[in-house]
Amino acid sequence: MDLIVQKFGGTSLSDEQSRRHVLRHIVRELDAGRTLVIVVSAMGRRGEPYATDSLLELIRLNGNALPARERDLLLSCGELISAATLCSLLIAEGIPAVALTGGQAGIMTDARYGAARIVRIQTEAIQQHIADGRVVIVAGFQGMTDRGEITTLGRGGSDTSATALGAALGAKIVDIYTDVDGILTADPRWVPGARQLPVVSYEEISNMAHNGAKVIHPRAVEIAMKAGVPVRVRSTFSDGEGTLVTRSETMRESGVWIDRTVTGLAHVSGVTQLAVNSDNGPSELQLRVFRAMATHGISVDFINVMPTGVHYTVSESDADTAVRLLRELEFEPIVRRGCAKVSMIGGGMNGEPGVMAVIVEALTTAGISILQSADSNTTIWVLIAETDLAAALQALHTSFGLHLA
Ligand code: ADP
Ligand code: MG
């Protein structure tokens, strides 16, 4: 029998009506004879009672004083509530079901609390429940160490639970159910004309996710890609087929990329640009600057090394530390806060010469300055002022024809 993994995100579980939609997708697959392993996130988003952010609120009055181990205990509760609630809904409908913690489901991790890595999955317990005819519901975002400690996998971790289980169980597909119709050409909150993509490659969506598209977690994509498990991102609230994530070879063979250079846009805001100039020999400067950032664990991006100095970006939260370190080295950086990074991503781009020209023309016509740019064979990045972000995304989306069906 075909086994499929279904993952339901927070907004898909937040109220009775949403959970009825979840039930509909479960019943449809059961009726089609499929075996189901279901992964659930915590219910709702910030502000709703059992959402992860609301759990964190409980310790805020204590100045967030809580060791990492106990913090993970607290964080793991949201998914447990979802799992038990969904289990109850299924049982009420006469569908045999069982709810499991990550650890009970055999998701074994290292002991890095808050950002644990899955080291292996022991599938025996799940297999036994399946053999006993139950729908298995697993609390996402969490695992267990070999010593029995509860760990969490970091933000977006339920996606990772789902694809890791899919890989371990040899699932036919992992369906990621969420509040949008699939993977779109841009974040619909920023680009209302964003259009659903029928198919993308693992590399493209991993690239989009790394560059800020939070529709699926990049680590989840990488696990699925390694195992060759197909993933689909689809809506809980409709019956659409969603977006299929598949191998780039399949994409190339099907000819999708022939007339699609740019697949989608992604963006990150809260970026600070730093420029350090020097007259006396660039190489020592470069070395000292980047060594200082590295020793303090500050990740740098958009690195541009020139004979006269270096330009690079850090995230807003690291900006003050970065500036202090530079001053300690007796450099006076030019600091530009409030920047955003826009990424144009496409597996079919492959060094196409015209792409950069389209970008420059689109942004210049819209009166937007490009502060820095960089490119690889599948992505072009531009740095702009955050205040230009909405206009830039719209302009680029239109210029690449992403709004056209
Ligand atoms: P869930 O709770 O189901 O995990 P998320 O909030 O993590 O949902 O992810 C879904 C959201 O991702 C959408 O509501 C959308 O705003 C955002 N998003 C960002 N980029 C994209 C994109 N390219 N395509 C679809 N959704 C995107
Ligand atoms: Mg998510």
Side-chain angles (χ1 to χ4, degrees):
M1 249 199 318
D2 288 343
L3 185 148
I4 69 174
V5 174
Q6 295 181 316
K7 179 253 167 179
F8 295 98
T11 46
S12 305
L13 294 156
S14 58
D15 55 30
E16 184 57 33
Q17 203 189 348
S18 308
R19 292 193 288 272
R20 287 274 147 199
H21 284 285
V22 168
L23 179 65
R24 197 162 52 76
H25 295 293
I26 293 172
V27 169
R28 185 193 62 234
E29 299 297 354
L30 288 175
D31 286 348
R34 307 220 159 90
T35 299
L36 293 185
V37 172
I38 294 167
V39 174
V40 290
S41 297
M43 292 178 187
R45 293 213 174 121
R46 189 183 290 272
E48 295 179 63
Y50 310 113
T52 305
D53 286 311
S54 312
L55 299 174
L56 284 172
E57 275 298 300
L58 296 171
I59 56 166
R60 201 171 55 92
L61 284 178
N62 309 329
N64 296 316
L66 192 66
R69 175 187 173 279
E70 284 73 15
R71 198 181 145 88
D72 269 7
L73 276 188
L74 177 64
L75 288 178
S76 68
C77 295
E79 280 70 17
L80 297 181
I81 294 170
S82 286
T85 306
L86 183 60
C87 189
S88 142
L89 178 59
L90 294 193
I91 289 170
E93 293 290 320
I95 301 166
V98 60
L100 303 176
T101 66
Q104 289 168 344
I107 300 178
M108 307 309 293
T109 73
D110 61 20
R112 264 189 287 179
Y113 295 109
R117 292 261 167 172
I118 299 174
V119 290
R120 63 177 191 285
I121 297 190
Q122 297 165 183
T123 60
E124 296 80 6
I126 292 183
Q127 304 280 15
Q128 188 58 55
H129 286 297
I130 290 173
D132 293 341
R134 299 188 186 99
V135 170
V136 178
I137 305 167
V138 180
F141 172 67
Q142 57 179 262
M144 188 176 77
T145 68
D146 282 328
R147 303 177 60 175
E149 302 286 1
I150 291 176
T151 54
T152 67
L153 310 177
R155 281 288 150 119
S158 291
D159 295 334
T160 307
S161 307
T163 57
L165 281 169
L169 295 163
K172 185 134 179 117
I173 198 158
V174 175
D175 275 337
I176 306 283
Y177 285 90
T178 183
D179 63 348
V180 281
D181 285 334
I183 296 168
L184 310 183
T185 48
D187 187 338
R189 289 183 225 191
W190 287 82
V191 182
R195 192 176 46 79
Q196 190 196 325
L197 292 158
V199 54
V200 300
S201 68
Y202 291 112
E203 288 85 353
E204 286 176 308
I205 186 55
S206 158
N207 234 333
M208 285 176 76
H210 274 298
N211 284 296
K214 73 168 225 174
V215 62
I216 184 169
H217 196 278
R219 209 194 314 161
V221 179
E222 279 136 31
I223 291 172
M225 174 162 71
K226 233 191 215 159
V229 181
V231 173
R232 209 162 27 181
V233 176
R234 55 195 299 183
S235 170
T236 299
F237 306 100
S238 80
D239 285 318
E241 285 288 306
T243 301
L244 180 69
V245 183
T246 185
R247 290 150 47 87
S248 28
E249 290 76 13
T250 317
M251 302 275 298
R252 202 164 291 117
E253 283 157 18
S254 69
V256 177
W257 283 335
I258 291 171
D259 43 26
R260 174 166 121 186
T261 46
V262 170
T263 298
L265 310 179
H267 69 273
V268 179
S269 41
V271 177
T272 297
Q273 184 193 41
L274 300 168
V276 186
N277 296 308
S278 165
D279 313 322
N280 43 1
S283 41
E284 204 217 351
L285 172 146
Q286 294 157 13
L287 192 64
R288 287 169 69 201
V289 167
F290 293 120
R291 197 173 274 162
M293 299 301 132
T295 27
H296 289 80
I298 297 179
S299 75
V300 296
D301 197 8
F302 262 120
I303 303 162
N304 233 314
V305 179
M306 293 152 290
T308 50
V310 296
H311 287 188
Y312 63 99
T313 62
V314 298
S315 82
E316 214 118 280
S317 52
D318 285 334
D320 290 339
T321 315
V323 170
R324 182 175 52 77
L325 292 170
L326 291 170
R327 291 197 176 130
E328 279 169 19
L329 293 172
E330 299 189 340
F331 294 124
E332 191 46 56
I334 301 165
V335 183
R336 189 195 274 264
R337 293 179 198 265
C339 298
K341 177 171 88 165
V342 176
S343 312
M344 273 94 355
I345 293 143
M349 196 184 288
N350 241 323
E352 279 281 315
V355 183
M356 195 61 200
V358 175
I359 295 170
V360 175
E361 191 184 344
L363 295 181
T364 319
T365 311
I368 296 164
S369 326
I370 301 176
L371 307 174
Q372 245 182 290
S373 74
D375 67 277
S376 76
N377 61 344
T378 56
T379 310
I380 298 180
W381 298 269
V382 294
L383 187 72
I384 57 169
E386 225 164 43
T387 46
D388 288 333
L389 182 55
L393 288 169
Q394 308 269 8
L396 292 166
H397 198 264
T398 311
S399 294
F400 285 108
L402 296 178
H403 57 302
L404 306 171

